[in-house]
Short mmCIF file of all heavy atoms in Angstrom, two decimals:
data_model
loop_
_atom_site.label_atom_id
_atom_site.label_comp_id
_atom_site.label_asym_id
_atom_site.label_seq_id
_atom_site.Cartn_x
_atom_site.Cartn_y
_atom_site.Cartn_z
N PHE A 1128 61.72 -58.42 -54.28
CA PHE A 1128 62.98 -58.13 -54.94
C PHE A 1128 62.81 -57.56 -56.33
O PHE A 1128 63.37 -56.55 -56.75
CB PHE A 1128 63.84 -59.44 -54.95
CG PHE A 1128 65.03 -59.33 -55.83
CD1 PHE A 1128 66.19 -58.70 -55.44
CD2 PHE A 1128 65.02 -59.82 -57.18
CE1 PHE A 1128 67.35 -58.54 -56.20
CE2 PHE A 1128 66.17 -59.70 -58.03
CZ PHE A 1128 67.30 -59.09 -57.50
N PHE A 1129 61.96 -58.29 -57.11
CA PHE A 1129 61.70 -57.78 -58.49
C PHE A 1129 60.99 -56.46 -58.57
O PHE A 1129 61.32 -55.61 -59.41
CB PHE A 1129 60.92 -58.88 -59.25
CG PHE A 1129 61.77 -60.02 -59.67
CD1 PHE A 1129 61.55 -61.25 -59.06
CD2 PHE A 1129 62.75 -59.98 -60.63
CE1 PHE A 1129 62.30 -62.41 -59.42
CE2 PHE A 1129 63.52 -61.03 -61.01
CZ PHE A 1129 63.33 -62.25 -60.38
N ILE A 1130 59.98 -56.22 -57.66
CA ILE A 1130 59.30 -54.96 -57.63
C ILE A 1130 60.21 -53.80 -57.36
O ILE A 1130 60.28 -52.85 -58.09
CB ILE A 1130 58.20 -55.00 -56.60
CG1 ILE A 1130 57.00 -55.87 -57.14
CG2 ILE A 1130 57.62 -53.57 -56.35
CD1 ILE A 1130 55.92 -56.08 -56.10
N HIS A 1131 61.04 -53.92 -56.32
CA HIS A 1131 61.94 -52.82 -55.95
C HIS A 1131 63.09 -52.68 -56.95
O HIS A 1131 63.47 -51.54 -57.28
CB HIS A 1131 62.49 -53.05 -54.58
CG HIS A 1131 61.47 -52.93 -53.45
ND1 HIS A 1131 60.62 -51.76 -53.38
CD2 HIS A 1131 61.17 -53.72 -52.45
CE1 HIS A 1131 59.86 -51.95 -52.33
NE2 HIS A 1131 60.11 -53.11 -51.76
N CYS A 1132 63.58 -53.80 -57.45
CA CYS A 1132 64.70 -53.74 -58.42
C CYS A 1132 64.23 -53.00 -59.73
O CYS A 1132 64.92 -52.14 -60.20
CB CYS A 1132 65.19 -55.14 -58.71
SG CYS A 1132 66.68 -55.18 -59.74
N LEU A 1133 63.09 -53.40 -60.20
CA LEU A 1133 62.55 -52.79 -61.41
C LEU A 1133 62.14 -51.28 -61.18
O LEU A 1133 62.32 -50.44 -62.08
CB LEU A 1133 61.34 -53.53 -61.93
CG LEU A 1133 61.61 -54.94 -62.52
CD1 LEU A 1133 60.38 -55.71 -62.77
CD2 LEU A 1133 62.44 -54.80 -63.84
N SER A 1134 61.63 -51.01 -60.04
CA SER A 1134 61.28 -49.60 -59.67
C SER A 1134 62.49 -48.72 -59.68
O SER A 1134 62.48 -47.62 -60.30
CB SER A 1134 60.59 -49.53 -58.31
OG SER A 1134 59.37 -50.20 -58.33
N PHE A 1135 63.57 -49.17 -59.09
CA PHE A 1135 64.77 -48.36 -59.05
C PHE A 1135 65.48 -48.32 -60.43
O PHE A 1135 66.14 -47.33 -60.79
CB PHE A 1135 65.73 -48.83 -57.92
CG PHE A 1135 65.16 -48.66 -56.55
CD1 PHE A 1135 65.29 -49.65 -55.65
CD2 PHE A 1135 64.50 -47.50 -56.22
CE1 PHE A 1135 64.69 -49.53 -54.30
CE2 PHE A 1135 63.96 -47.35 -54.96
CZ PHE A 1135 64.05 -48.35 -54.02
N LEU A 1136 65.31 -49.39 -61.15
CA LEU A 1136 65.87 -49.40 -62.50
C LEU A 1136 65.11 -48.43 -63.40
O LEU A 1136 65.72 -47.76 -64.21
CB LEU A 1136 65.72 -50.79 -63.10
CG LEU A 1136 66.30 -51.04 -64.51
CD1 LEU A 1136 67.77 -50.65 -64.55
CD2 LEU A 1136 66.14 -52.48 -64.96
N GLU A 1137 63.81 -48.30 -63.20
CA GLU A 1137 63.01 -47.28 -63.88
C GLU A 1137 63.51 -45.87 -63.57
O GLU A 1137 63.56 -45.01 -64.43
CB GLU A 1137 61.51 -47.42 -63.60
CG GLU A 1137 60.68 -46.42 -64.33
CD GLU A 1137 59.24 -46.85 -64.60
OE1 GLU A 1137 58.95 -48.08 -64.39
OE2 GLU A 1137 58.41 -46.09 -65.01
N SER A 1138 63.81 -45.63 -62.28
CA SER A 1138 64.32 -44.34 -61.95
C SER A 1138 65.63 -44.06 -62.66
O SER A 1138 65.85 -42.93 -63.10
CB SER A 1138 64.58 -44.31 -60.40
OG SER A 1138 65.10 -43.09 -59.97
N SER A 1139 66.52 -45.02 -62.80
CA SER A 1139 67.73 -44.83 -63.49
C SER A 1139 67.52 -44.56 -65.00
O SER A 1139 68.18 -43.73 -65.53
CB SER A 1139 68.62 -46.13 -63.39
OG SER A 1139 68.95 -46.40 -61.99
N VAL A 1140 66.59 -45.27 -65.63
CA VAL A 1140 66.28 -45.02 -67.01
C VAL A 1140 65.68 -43.59 -67.23
O VAL A 1140 65.96 -42.94 -68.23
CB VAL A 1140 65.31 -46.08 -67.57
CG1 VAL A 1140 64.84 -45.78 -68.95
CG2 VAL A 1140 66.05 -47.48 -67.58
N LEU A 1141 64.84 -43.16 -66.33
CA LEU A 1141 64.29 -41.82 -66.44
C LEU A 1141 65.42 -40.78 -66.34
O LEU A 1141 65.41 -39.76 -67.03
CB LEU A 1141 63.24 -41.56 -65.29
CG LEU A 1141 61.91 -42.31 -65.50
CD1 LEU A 1141 61.04 -42.11 -64.27
CD2 LEU A 1141 61.19 -41.87 -66.74
N LEU A 1142 66.40 -41.05 -65.48
CA LEU A 1142 67.54 -40.16 -65.43
C LEU A 1142 68.33 -40.22 -66.72
O LEU A 1142 68.79 -39.15 -67.23
CB LEU A 1142 68.50 -40.59 -64.26
CG LEU A 1142 69.82 -39.86 -64.11
CD1 LEU A 1142 69.62 -38.31 -63.97
CD2 LEU A 1142 70.66 -40.40 -62.99
N SER A 1143 68.57 -41.41 -67.31
CA SER A 1143 69.19 -41.50 -68.56
C SER A 1143 68.51 -40.76 -69.68
O SER A 1143 69.10 -40.11 -70.57
CB SER A 1143 69.33 -43.00 -68.95
OG SER A 1143 70.05 -43.70 -67.98
N MET A 1144 67.18 -40.78 -69.65
CA MET A 1144 66.37 -40.05 -70.67
C MET A 1144 66.47 -38.59 -70.47
O MET A 1144 66.46 -37.81 -71.46
CB MET A 1144 64.91 -40.50 -70.55
CG MET A 1144 64.67 -41.96 -70.95
SD MET A 1144 63.02 -42.56 -70.61
CE MET A 1144 62.21 -42.04 -72.15
N ALA A 1145 66.61 -38.12 -69.21
CA ALA A 1145 66.89 -36.70 -68.97
C ALA A 1145 68.21 -36.26 -69.50
O ALA A 1145 68.35 -35.15 -70.11
CB ALA A 1145 66.78 -36.42 -67.45
N PHE A 1146 69.22 -37.15 -69.38
CA PHE A 1146 70.53 -36.85 -69.94
C PHE A 1146 70.46 -36.81 -71.41
O PHE A 1146 71.10 -35.93 -72.10
CB PHE A 1146 71.53 -37.95 -69.41
CG PHE A 1146 72.90 -37.76 -70.01
CD1 PHE A 1146 73.72 -36.69 -69.68
CD2 PHE A 1146 73.38 -38.70 -70.97
CE1 PHE A 1146 75.01 -36.54 -70.20
CE2 PHE A 1146 74.67 -38.55 -71.49
CZ PHE A 1146 75.46 -37.47 -71.12
N ASP A 1147 69.69 -37.70 -72.00
CA ASP A 1147 69.50 -37.72 -73.54
C ASP A 1147 68.89 -36.37 -73.97
O ASP A 1147 69.36 -35.80 -74.95
CB ASP A 1147 68.55 -38.86 -73.89
CG ASP A 1147 68.09 -38.74 -75.27
OD1 ASP A 1147 68.85 -39.10 -76.24
OD2 ASP A 1147 66.88 -38.35 -75.51
N ARG A 1148 67.91 -35.92 -73.25
CA ARG A 1148 67.26 -34.62 -73.61
C ARG A 1148 68.28 -33.44 -73.41
O ARG A 1148 68.24 -32.48 -74.19
CB ARG A 1148 65.99 -34.39 -72.83
CG ARG A 1148 64.80 -35.32 -73.11
CD ARG A 1148 64.36 -35.18 -74.58
NE ARG A 1148 65.18 -35.95 -75.53
CZ ARG A 1148 65.31 -35.77 -76.80
NH1 ARG A 1148 64.71 -34.69 -77.28
NH2 ARG A 1148 66.05 -36.49 -77.53
N PHE A 1149 69.07 -33.53 -72.36
CA PHE A 1149 70.05 -32.46 -72.11
C PHE A 1149 71.03 -32.41 -73.27
O PHE A 1149 71.34 -31.32 -73.74
CB PHE A 1149 70.77 -32.75 -70.76
CG PHE A 1149 71.99 -32.01 -70.59
CD1 PHE A 1149 72.02 -30.61 -70.28
CD2 PHE A 1149 73.28 -32.56 -70.74
CE1 PHE A 1149 73.16 -29.93 -70.14
CE2 PHE A 1149 74.46 -31.88 -70.62
CZ PHE A 1149 74.39 -30.47 -70.32
N VAL A 1150 71.60 -33.56 -73.62
CA VAL A 1150 72.57 -33.58 -74.71
C VAL A 1150 71.93 -33.06 -76.03
O VAL A 1150 72.54 -32.29 -76.78
CB VAL A 1150 73.16 -34.95 -74.88
CG1 VAL A 1150 74.15 -34.97 -76.08
CG2 VAL A 1150 73.94 -35.37 -73.63
N ALA A 1151 70.71 -33.56 -76.32
CA ALA A 1151 70.06 -33.20 -77.59
C ALA A 1151 69.75 -31.72 -77.71
O ALA A 1151 69.87 -31.12 -78.76
CB ALA A 1151 68.75 -33.99 -77.68
N ILE A 1152 69.49 -31.06 -76.52
CA ILE A 1152 69.09 -29.61 -76.57
C ILE A 1152 70.28 -28.75 -76.33
O ILE A 1152 70.47 -27.67 -76.93
CB ILE A 1152 67.99 -29.36 -75.57
CG1 ILE A 1152 66.68 -30.06 -75.97
CG2 ILE A 1152 67.73 -27.88 -75.44
CD1 ILE A 1152 65.58 -30.06 -74.97
N CYS A 1153 71.12 -29.10 -75.37
CA CYS A 1153 72.20 -28.25 -74.94
C CYS A 1153 73.54 -28.54 -75.71
O CYS A 1153 74.36 -27.61 -75.82
CB CYS A 1153 72.51 -28.39 -73.45
SG CYS A 1153 71.10 -28.04 -72.39
N ARG A 1154 73.71 -29.75 -76.23
CA ARG A 1154 74.93 -30.10 -77.04
C ARG A 1154 74.54 -30.85 -78.31
O ARG A 1154 75.00 -31.91 -78.54
CB ARG A 1154 75.81 -30.97 -76.17
CG ARG A 1154 76.30 -30.38 -74.86
CD ARG A 1154 77.38 -29.30 -75.10
NE ARG A 1154 77.90 -28.88 -73.81
CZ ARG A 1154 77.41 -27.94 -73.07
NH1 ARG A 1154 76.33 -27.30 -73.45
NH2 ARG A 1154 77.94 -27.54 -71.94
N PRO A 1155 73.67 -30.21 -79.13
CA PRO A 1155 73.15 -30.89 -80.29
C PRO A 1155 74.25 -31.33 -81.26
O PRO A 1155 74.06 -32.40 -81.94
CB PRO A 1155 72.23 -29.87 -80.94
CG PRO A 1155 72.74 -28.51 -80.43
CD PRO A 1155 73.20 -28.79 -79.06
N LEU A 1156 75.33 -30.63 -81.45
CA LEU A 1156 76.36 -30.97 -82.39
C LEU A 1156 77.12 -32.21 -81.94
O LEU A 1156 77.76 -32.86 -82.76
CB LEU A 1156 77.33 -29.80 -82.62
CG LEU A 1156 76.69 -28.50 -83.19
CD1 LEU A 1156 77.69 -27.40 -83.31
CD2 LEU A 1156 76.06 -28.79 -84.55
N HIS A 1157 77.13 -32.50 -80.66
CA HIS A 1157 77.87 -33.62 -80.10
C HIS A 1157 76.94 -34.83 -79.77
O HIS A 1157 77.45 -35.80 -79.24
CB HIS A 1157 78.70 -33.21 -78.89
CG HIS A 1157 79.64 -32.08 -79.13
ND1 HIS A 1157 79.31 -30.75 -78.89
CD2 HIS A 1157 80.91 -32.11 -79.58
CE1 HIS A 1157 80.33 -30.01 -79.24
NE2 HIS A 1157 81.33 -30.78 -79.65
N TYR A 1158 75.70 -34.72 -80.13
CA TYR A 1158 74.72 -35.65 -79.72
C TYR A 1158 75.11 -37.12 -80.20
O TYR A 1158 75.14 -38.06 -79.44
CB TYR A 1158 73.35 -35.31 -80.23
CG TYR A 1158 72.21 -36.26 -79.73
CD1 TYR A 1158 71.73 -36.22 -78.45
CD2 TYR A 1158 71.62 -37.11 -80.69
CE1 TYR A 1158 70.64 -37.05 -78.10
CE2 TYR A 1158 70.57 -37.98 -80.36
CZ TYR A 1158 70.11 -37.89 -79.05
OH TYR A 1158 69.11 -38.73 -78.67
N ALA A 1159 75.34 -37.21 -81.47
CA ALA A 1159 75.62 -38.50 -82.08
C ALA A 1159 76.93 -39.14 -81.54
O ALA A 1159 77.03 -40.36 -81.40
CB ALA A 1159 75.71 -38.42 -83.61
N SER A 1160 77.93 -38.26 -81.26
CA SER A 1160 79.22 -38.82 -80.78
C SER A 1160 79.22 -39.16 -79.32
O SER A 1160 79.97 -39.99 -78.85
CB SER A 1160 80.32 -37.73 -81.07
OG SER A 1160 80.03 -36.53 -80.35
N ILE A 1161 78.32 -38.49 -78.56
CA ILE A 1161 78.23 -38.77 -77.08
C ILE A 1161 77.34 -40.02 -76.84
O ILE A 1161 77.76 -40.91 -76.08
CB ILE A 1161 77.70 -37.55 -76.33
CG1 ILE A 1161 78.63 -36.37 -76.40
CG2 ILE A 1161 77.38 -37.91 -74.85
CD1 ILE A 1161 78.17 -35.13 -75.69
N LEU A 1162 76.15 -40.03 -77.35
CA LEU A 1162 75.22 -41.11 -77.12
C LEU A 1162 75.29 -42.19 -78.20
O LEU A 1162 74.34 -42.31 -79.02
CB LEU A 1162 73.83 -40.56 -76.92
CG LEU A 1162 73.53 -39.86 -75.63
CD1 LEU A 1162 72.21 -39.17 -75.61
CD2 LEU A 1162 73.63 -40.85 -74.44
N THR A 1163 76.38 -42.89 -78.28
CA THR A 1163 76.53 -44.00 -79.20
C THR A 1163 75.79 -45.23 -78.63
O THR A 1163 75.46 -45.27 -77.45
CB THR A 1163 78.01 -44.33 -79.43
OG1 THR A 1163 78.59 -44.74 -78.23
CG2 THR A 1163 78.75 -43.10 -79.97
N ASN A 1164 75.62 -46.21 -79.46
CA ASN A 1164 74.94 -47.48 -79.00
C ASN A 1164 75.77 -48.14 -77.87
O ASN A 1164 75.18 -48.72 -76.95
CB ASN A 1164 74.78 -48.45 -80.16
CG ASN A 1164 73.73 -47.99 -81.18
OD1 ASN A 1164 72.87 -47.17 -80.84
ND2 ASN A 1164 73.78 -48.53 -82.36
N THR A 1165 77.07 -48.02 -77.98
CA THR A 1165 77.95 -48.59 -76.94
C THR A 1165 77.74 -47.91 -75.61
O THR A 1165 77.62 -48.55 -74.58
CB THR A 1165 79.41 -48.50 -77.30
OG1 THR A 1165 79.65 -49.19 -78.60
CG2 THR A 1165 80.32 -49.08 -76.25
N VAL A 1166 77.65 -46.56 -75.68
CA VAL A 1166 77.43 -45.84 -74.42
C VAL A 1166 76.05 -46.09 -73.84
O VAL A 1166 75.92 -46.32 -72.62
CB VAL A 1166 77.58 -44.28 -74.68
CG1 VAL A 1166 77.08 -43.48 -73.50
CG2 VAL A 1166 79.03 -43.96 -75.05
N ILE A 1167 75.05 -46.22 -74.68
CA ILE A 1167 73.73 -46.51 -74.19
C ILE A 1167 73.67 -47.92 -73.57
O ILE A 1167 73.00 -48.09 -72.50
CB ILE A 1167 72.72 -46.46 -75.37
CG1 ILE A 1167 72.58 -45.01 -75.84
CG2 ILE A 1167 71.31 -46.94 -74.94
CD1 ILE A 1167 71.86 -44.82 -77.12
N GLY A 1168 74.31 -48.89 -74.18
CA GLY A 1168 74.39 -50.24 -73.64
C GLY A 1168 75.07 -50.22 -72.29
O GLY A 1168 74.59 -50.92 -71.34
N ARG A 1169 76.16 -49.45 -72.15
CA ARG A 1169 76.86 -49.39 -70.85
C ARG A 1169 75.99 -48.69 -69.74
O ARG A 1169 75.99 -49.17 -68.61
CB ARG A 1169 78.18 -48.64 -70.98
CG ARG A 1169 79.26 -49.41 -71.76
CD ARG A 1169 80.48 -48.59 -72.04
NE ARG A 1169 81.50 -49.36 -72.79
CZ ARG A 1169 82.59 -48.82 -73.27
NH1 ARG A 1169 82.83 -47.52 -73.15
NH2 ARG A 1169 83.46 -49.59 -73.87
N ILE A 1170 75.29 -47.66 -70.15
CA ILE A 1170 74.35 -47.00 -69.20
C ILE A 1170 73.34 -47.98 -68.74
O ILE A 1170 73.00 -48.05 -67.52
CB ILE A 1170 73.70 -45.81 -69.89
CG1 ILE A 1170 74.68 -44.67 -70.09
CG2 ILE A 1170 72.55 -45.24 -69.04
CD1 ILE A 1170 74.10 -43.49 -70.94
N GLY A 1171 72.76 -48.79 -69.63
CA GLY A 1171 71.77 -49.78 -69.23
C GLY A 1171 72.29 -50.81 -68.30
O GLY A 1171 71.66 -51.18 -67.29
N LEU A 1172 73.50 -51.32 -68.57
CA LEU A 1172 74.17 -52.34 -67.72
C LEU A 1172 74.55 -51.75 -66.35
O LEU A 1172 74.32 -52.50 -65.37
CB LEU A 1172 75.39 -52.85 -68.40
CG LEU A 1172 75.17 -53.76 -69.63
CD1 LEU A 1172 76.50 -54.17 -70.30
CD2 LEU A 1172 74.40 -55.02 -69.22
N VAL A 1173 75.01 -50.56 -66.33
CA VAL A 1173 75.37 -49.92 -65.05
C VAL A 1173 74.08 -49.74 -64.22
O VAL A 1173 74.07 -49.98 -62.96
CB VAL A 1173 76.11 -48.60 -65.25
CG1 VAL A 1173 76.24 -47.82 -63.90
CG2 VAL A 1173 77.52 -48.84 -65.83
N SER A 1174 73.04 -49.26 -64.82
CA SER A 1174 71.73 -49.07 -64.14
C SER A 1174 71.19 -50.36 -63.57
O SER A 1174 70.80 -50.40 -62.41
CB SER A 1174 70.73 -48.48 -65.07
OG SER A 1174 71.16 -47.18 -65.55
N LEU A 1175 71.22 -51.41 -64.37
CA LEU A 1175 70.81 -52.73 -63.94
C LEU A 1175 71.66 -53.24 -62.79
O LEU A 1175 71.10 -53.77 -61.79
CB LEU A 1175 70.81 -53.71 -65.08
CG LEU A 1175 70.43 -55.14 -64.81
CD1 LEU A 1175 68.98 -55.18 -64.34
CD2 LEU A 1175 70.58 -56.02 -66.07
N GLY A 1176 73.00 -53.12 -62.93
CA GLY A 1176 73.93 -53.55 -61.88
C GLY A 1176 73.68 -52.82 -60.55
O GLY A 1176 73.68 -53.46 -59.48
N ARG A 1177 73.47 -51.51 -60.67
CA ARG A 1177 73.19 -50.76 -59.39
C ARG A 1177 71.96 -51.22 -58.71
O ARG A 1177 71.93 -51.43 -57.52
CB ARG A 1177 73.08 -49.26 -59.72
CG ARG A 1177 72.89 -48.36 -58.49
CD ARG A 1177 72.64 -46.94 -58.82
NE ARG A 1177 71.31 -46.68 -59.35
CZ ARG A 1177 70.71 -45.52 -59.40
NH1 ARG A 1177 71.36 -44.47 -58.85
NH2 ARG A 1177 69.53 -45.35 -59.87
N SER A 1178 70.89 -51.44 -59.48
CA SER A 1178 69.59 -51.82 -58.87
C SER A 1178 69.73 -53.22 -58.24
O SER A 1178 69.25 -53.43 -57.07
CB SER A 1178 68.51 -51.89 -59.94
OG SER A 1178 68.31 -50.58 -60.47
#
Side-chain angles (χ1 to χ4, degrees):
F1128 169 80
F1129 285 109
I1130 288 175
H1131 291 307
C1132 188
L1133 289 171
S1134 293
F1135 295 135
L1136 183 57
E1137 180 153 348
S1138 178
S1139 299
V1140 171
L1141 289 173
L1142 173 60
S1143 302
M1144 296 173 84
F1146 177 67
D1147 168 76
R1148 292 299 84 204
F1149 164 75
V1150 176
I1152 294 172
C1153 301
R1154 302 287 187 274
L1156 298 179
H1157 302 92
Y1158 183 75
S1160 60
I1161 293 175
L1162 285 172
T1163 62
N1164 289 341
T1165 301
V1166 170
I1167 294 170
R1169 288 174 180 172
I1170 290 174
L1172 288 175
V1173 169
S1174 299
L1175 179 62
R1177 183 185 73 160
S1178 298

